[in-house]
């Protein structure tokens, strides 16, 4: 009986054809023209805001590039990933939505899928590195101070190598990039899992190394930080005032990092759920009109971070008390980029100030 079931299962896998092979034109939009126009306008707004926001973060960072701390360098890398998604990827999908079909063919589809996965993976791994940095600085004060600029650049090299490897693996014949069921966008070929055991292994590897493992590290880091906060006041009380103020600022800036990670995961998890269901659920059981919503939500992730930075910067400015000294600090604080995740421990402008998040 088990042999018959196995034969039946392998037979069903061999007979399965993904949606892009069932149709004569896989790049024709399956949505109404009105829905495509709405999606096109939505992505245009998202693309403009994320390009301007992340471009501003990179520009302000370039003015003081030699003074950037390790975690600030990680934040700039996150902005580079978000800007890459906006500049390299979004124009393809915007033009296609307005054209009511994907107009760039299979080569453009594979390039778009690669770029989206490359920059998306880079963003998540960067946030994983940031979460570990926050964990060291909050939970292990004695070890958090050894992180230097050259460690950050080594970490950047590893992040880009990691993202390049996993984004390029599909071109080695173990996976692929394919059009989405609604036709006007492309992504990893999640549907390979329906066709073969090798396809299932490919999809499971992508899910583990590019989603589950980084997310687990992020959750672990911030859970440990939250648990540590309860006892941190007693521990820091043994240090001098300067270190106490710096530690308070580190914890509050950690909330910013947590907010950034939460925004990214909220944007991408619905898409991940739909992708997993497409890979391992009933074949073609996800309605086309439903599958487009998580895709559009995921494409908005690149817009959130600059907004978070600016909101935190404004709240910081509002909570400062008035007075001549405060006015003198204003330009200094702007230079310090309070929308970054790390703090300047040696800056007199920050050492006596509380950041309320």
């Amino acid at each position: 009986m088990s042999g018959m079931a196995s034969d039946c299962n392998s037979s069903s896998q061999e007979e399965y054809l993904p949606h892009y092979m069932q149709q004569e034109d896989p790049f024709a939009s399956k949505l109404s023209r009105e829905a495509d126009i709405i999606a096109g306008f939505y992505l245009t707004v998202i693309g403009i805001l994320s390009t301007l926001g992340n471009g501003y973060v990179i520009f302000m960072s370039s003015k003081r590039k030699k003074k950037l701390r390790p975690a600030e360098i990680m934040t700039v890398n996150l902005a580079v990933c978000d800007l890459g998604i906006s500049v390299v990827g979004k124009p393809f999908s915007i033009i296609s939505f307005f054209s009511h079909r994907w107009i760039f063919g299979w080569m453009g589809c594979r390039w778009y899928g690669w770029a989206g996965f490359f920059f998306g993976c880079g963003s998540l791994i960067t946030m994983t590195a940031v979460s570990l940095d926050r964990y060291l600085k909050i939970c292990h004060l004695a070890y958090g101070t050894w992180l230097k600029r050259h460690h950050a650049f080594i970490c950047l090299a590893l992040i880009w190598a990691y993202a390049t490897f996993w984004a390029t693996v599909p071109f080695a014949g173990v996976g692929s990039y394919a059009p989405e069921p609604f036709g006007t966008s492309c992504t990893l070929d999640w549907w390979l899992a329906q066709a073969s055991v090798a396809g299932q292994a490919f999809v499971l590897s992508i899910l583990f190394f590019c989603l589950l493992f980084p997310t687990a590290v992020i959750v672990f880091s911030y859970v440990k930080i939250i648990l540590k906060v309860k006892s941190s006041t007693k521990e820091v009380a043994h240090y001098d005032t300067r270190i106490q103020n710096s530690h308070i600022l580190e914890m509050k800036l950690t909330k910013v990092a947590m907010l950034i990670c939460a925004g990214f995961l909220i944007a991408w998890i619905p898409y991940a759920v739909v992708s997993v269901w497409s890979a391992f659920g009933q074949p073609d059981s996800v309605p086309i009109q439903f599958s487009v919503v998580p895709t559009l939500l995921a494409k908005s992730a690149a817009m959130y971070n600059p907004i978070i930075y600016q909101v935190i910067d404004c709240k910081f400015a509002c909570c400062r008390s008035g007075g001549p000294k405060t006015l003198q600090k204003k330009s200094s604080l702007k230079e310090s980029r309070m929308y970054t995740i790390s703090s300047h421990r040696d800056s007199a402008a920050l050492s006596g100030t509380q950041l309320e998040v």
Side-chain angles (χ1 to χ4, degrees):
M1 292 294 290
S2 60
M4 293 177 60
S6 176
D7 292 340
C8 193
N9 181 48
S10 62
S11 174
S12 64
Q13 286 187 334
E14 292 175 0
E15 293 175 359
Y16 174 76
L17 289 177
H19 62 89
Y20 54 84
M21 296 182 66
Q22 297 174 7
Q23 303 156 359
E24 294 183 2
D25 186 2
F27 298 124
S29 176
K30 311 307 183 296
L31 304 175
S32 67
R33 185 171 293 276
E34 293 76 12
D36 276 336
I37 292 175
I38 293 174
F41 275 115
Y42 167 81
L43 290 181
T44 300
V45 173
I46 294 296
I48 291 173
L49 291 177
S50 62
T51 300
L52 293 177
N54 289 292
Y56 177 75
V57 171
I58 296 171
F59 171 74
M60 293 299 293
S61 300
S62 67
K63 295 175 65 176
R64 47 185 303 278
K65 56 186 177 183
K66 293 184 179 180
K67 298 181 180 180
L68 293 176
R69 297 299 182 97
E72 290 180 304
I73 295 172
M74 293 293 102
T75 304
V76 174
N77 191 63
L78 184 59
V80 170
C81 291
D82 291 342
L83 183 65
I85 292 175
S86 302
V87 174
V88 176
K90 282 190 173 60
F92 286 81
S93 54
I94 291 172
I95 293 172
S96 296
F97 273 114
F98 282 127
S99 301
H100 198 49
R101 64 174 287 107
W102 179 264
I103 64 174
F104 302 101
W106 277 102
M107 287 297 294
C109 180
R110 294 187 179 99
W111 160 252
Y112 176 85
W114 181 91
F117 185 42
F118 173 71
F119 288 115
C121 182
S123 294
L124 183 57
I125 303 304
T126 299
M127 283 185 285
T128 304
V130 169
S131 70
L132 289 174
D133 173 76
R134 294 292 90 200
Y135 170 71
L136 286 174
K137 282 184 168 59
I138 300 301
C139 298
H140 301 282
L141 293 176
Y143 299 98
T145 56
W146 69 268
L147 294 171
K148 306 300 181 183
R149 282 171 60 93
H150 68 275
H151 294 121
F153 289 117
I154 292 173
C155 187
L156 285 184
L158 293 175
I159 289 171
W160 288 112
Y162 194 91
T164 301
F165 173 78
W166 285 109
T168 310
V169 159
F171 294 130
V174 297
S176 183
Y177 293 99
E180 299 267 15
F182 50 87
T184 48
S185 182
C186 294
T187 185
L188 277 168
D189 192 346
W190 302 104
W191 302 272
L192 285 174
Q194 298 281 358
S196 67
V197 175
Q200 293 176 357
F202 164 72
V203 171
L204 288 174
S205 298
I206 291 291
L207 287 172
F208 178 78
F209 289 104
C210 299
L211 178 64
L212 297 180
F213 177 69
T215 302
V217 173
I218 291 172
V219 172
F220 167 81
S221 298
Y222 290 126
V223 167
K224 295 292 287 185
I225 289 171
I226 292 172
L227 296 176
K228 186 70 174 179
V229 166
K230 297 180 180 180
S231 59
S232 63
T233 304
K234 294 180 181 179
E235 291 188 12
V236 176
H238 297 292
Y239 296 94
D240 59 30
T241 303
R242 178 175 172 274
I243 295 180
Q244 291 179 24
N245 290 337
S246 178
H247 185 64
I248 291 173
L249 186 57
E250 291 284 1
M251 288 194 297
K252 291 186 180 296
L253 291 171
T254 298
K255 296 179 183 179
V256 181
M258 294 173 67
L259 189 59
I260 290 171
C261 292
F264 183 91
L265 294 176
I266 289 172
W268 278 98
I269 283 178
Y271 179 78
V273 170
V274 171
S275 298
V276 170
W277 183 258
S278 298
F280 300 103
Q282 292 296 321
D284 304 320
S285 60
V286 179
I288 292 177
Q289 292 77 9
F290 178 76
S291 67
V292 71
V293 176
T295 301
L296 295 178
L297 179 62
K299 293 179 187 296
S300 69
M303 178 189 68
Y304 300 150
N305 295 343
I307 295 176
I308 293 172
Y309 302 150
Q310 293 303 316
V311 168
I312 297 304
D313 190 37
C314 291
K315 292 182 72 174
F316 177 80
C318 291
C319 73
R320 284 180 291 146
S321 59
K325 293 184 179 179
T326 302
L327 293 176
Q328 292 175 4
K329 292 178 182 178
K330 185 173 183 180
S331 60
S332 161
L333 291 168
K334 287 294 181 181
E335 289 287 324
S336 298
R337 277 179 69 252
M338 283 309 298
Y339 44 79
T340 60
I341 297 174
S342 70
S343 65
H344 296 274
R345 293 191 174 186
D346 298 329
S347 172
L350 294 182
S351 61
T353 308
Q354 300 292 323
L355 173 62
E356 296 298 331
V357 179

